[in-house]
Amino acid sequence: MATRNEPEEIRIAPRKSTDDARQAVAPHTVRYMLAIGLAGVIVAFAIIYFIFV
């Protein structure tokens, strides 16, 4: 709720949800891409480690 001390532009500023502010919906596949990428990096480093040790 606005108070008297706030400037006019703050009192009339629109309120947006997180999805509206970012202009998109984050798909659930992002977590799978992140997990697969992380697993790939771990496997790559393990292979490099065993080759050079």
Side-chain angles (χ1 to χ4, degrees):
M1 186 113 204
T3 63
R4 288 179 165 244
N5 304 13
E6 293 176 339
E8 181 68 21
E9 61 270 3
I10 291 177
R11 281 188 268 151
I12 61 171
R15 303 286 187 241
K16 292 187 175 186
S17 69
T18 306
D19 286 339
D20 288 339
R22 91 168 78 109
Q23 296 292 313
V25 176
H28 295 290
T29 57
V30 173
R31 75 177 71 148
Y32 299 119
M33 290 187 297
L34 184 62
I36 291 168
L38 181 61
V41 168
I42 291 171
V43 168
F45 276 117
I47 290 170
I48 292 169
Y49 175 78
F50 287 118
I51 289 174
F52 290 106
V53 171

